[in-house]
Amino acid sequence: MRLRVRRRPVKYARLEVRPDGTVLVTAPDGFDVDNLIERHRGWLEDKLAKIGELREIAESGFPINGEFYQVIHGRKPKVHERFKTVVLSPNPNDVVDCLKRILRKELLPLVDSYAWGMGVEPGKVYIRHQKSRWGSCSPKGNLNFNVRLIALPRELREYVVIHELVHLKHMNHSKAFWELVGEFYPDYKTARRELKKWWTIVELNPHWKWLARGEV
C-alpha cells in the first residue's frame, strides 16, 4: 500500500484512494494515521483491488470512444476509427492537438443542439488538456472541455456536454440543477459513476501518462 500523509490544520482526518492507487491521508499534526488505516483496511483493500482491475484494462491500448485502440508509432498523429488504431508521433503535443481537432468536430454540434433545446447561449468553447475535471463552465458562460473526453463512450461525452450547459442556468449543483440535467439525461447517476471509472482508466493508461508530460 502506497501511503501519503498530508499534515493540514483540518478538523477531521480525510482518507482518499487516488486513481494511481496511492492512499492519501489528510490529517492534523499528532493524528494517529496508523489507527485510521487499520479501521478502514477492508474498505481500502476493496478500493485498491478495483483499481488493480482497472489498471489491467487501462494497459490494453489507447482508449478512444470507450474502446481500446492499437497503438502505432509514426511521424504524424492520426486516429483510424475503422481499423481501431491510433498513430502516435514523437511529440506528445502534436498528438494532443490532433485529438483536440477530432473532439471539437463532435462536441460543437452537441453543444449547439442541446443549447437550443435548453434555451441557453454558451460563449466560447475550449478544448484543453486538463488534469482534474472532464469539463467546466465559467461565470462568463464559456465552456471548457477536457481532451480526455475522447477516451469516453459517446453517451458519456454527451452527458458531460449536458452537465456543463445546465450550469448556464444553475451555477451550482442544487436540486434544480440535477432536475434539469435529468430532463435531458435521465440516467445521469449511472453516467457519474462511469465517469469516475473512466477517469481512473485514463490516469492509469501509459499513453495518456506520456501525453501528460507534454501540454498541461
Side-chain angles (χ1 to χ4, degrees), residues 1-210:
M1 186 182 297
R2 288 178 297 174
L3 178 65
R4 179 186 167 200
V5 180
R6 293 189 306 188
R7 296 294 181 177
R8 299 285 190 275
V10 294
K11 188 175 182 179
Y12 300 104
R14 296 196 303 270
L15 186 61
E16 177 186 357
V17 179
R18 306 302 295 271
D20 65 356
T22 300
V23 176
L24 176 63
V25 179
T26 304
D29 290 335
F31 184 86
D32 189 346
V33 172
D34 291 338
N35 181 263
L36 179 70
I37 295 295
E38 285 304 316
R39 284 190 287 115
H40 294 87
R41 182 167 292 278
W43 176 81
L44 287 170
E45 290 177 349
D46 181 62
K47 292 282 287 186
L48 291 171
K50 289 178 180 177
I51 288 176
E53 294 171 3
L54 292 178
R55 185 185 300 277
E56 186 175 347
I57 295 171
E59 293 175 351
S60 60
F62 193 103
I64 296 283
N65 300 330
E67 300 181 74
F68 290 87
Y69 285 26
Q70 179 184 356
V71 172
I72 299 171
H73 294 280
R75 294 177 58 189
K76 187 176 180 180
K78 190 171 184 179
V79 175
H80 295 274
E81 191 169 348
R82 178 182 175 187
F83 301 106
K84 302 291 189 277
T85 58
V86 176
V87 180
L88 300 183
S89 60
N91 188 331
N93 288 338
D94 290 342
V95 178
V96 170
D97 287 342
C98 173
L99 297 177
K100 283 181 177 181
R101 288 193 295 271
I102 295 170
L103 186 61
R104 175 173 286 275
K105 288 179 181 179
E106 179 180 340
L107 289 188
L108 290 183
L110 277 176
V111 169
D112 290 343
S113 175
Y114 279 108
W116 181 85
M118 293 180 194
V120 296
E121 295 184 9
K124 296 180 180 179
V125 176
Y126 299 99
I127 310 291
R128 295 192 167 107
H129 193 183
Q130 300 170 304
K131 293 184 177 181
S132 61
R133 59 181 67 185
W134 294 112
S136 62
C137 176
S138 77
K140 293 183 178 180
N142 297 326
L143 303 180
N144 299 292
F145 294 108
N146 196 331
V147 69
R148 290 181 173 194
L149 285 169
I150 202 167
L152 300 177
R154 285 191 168 92
E155 64 271 17
L156 291 182
R157 289 204 287 272
E158 192 170 352
Y159 163 73
V160 174
V161 168
I162 292 169
H163 183 114
E164 299 310 331
L165 283 170
V166 172
H167 276 312
L168 293 173
K169 288 198 169 185
H170 304 284
M171 286 298 289
N172 50 42
H173 290 109
S174 62
K175 182 180 179 181
F177 170 87
W178 291 114
E179 286 177 350
L180 187 54
V181 169
E183 288 183 26
F184 290 89
Y185 201 102
D187 200 17
Y188 68 85
K189 291 182 180 179
T190 298
R192 295 182 71 197
R193 290 194 297 269
E194 285 296 300
L195 284 176
K196 290 179 181 179
K197 182 188 79 172
W198 277 100
W199 188 269
T200 299
I201 288 173
V202 173
E203 284 282 292
L204 296 173
N205 183 264
H207 306 297
W208 277 102
K209 286 182 179 180
W210 173 72

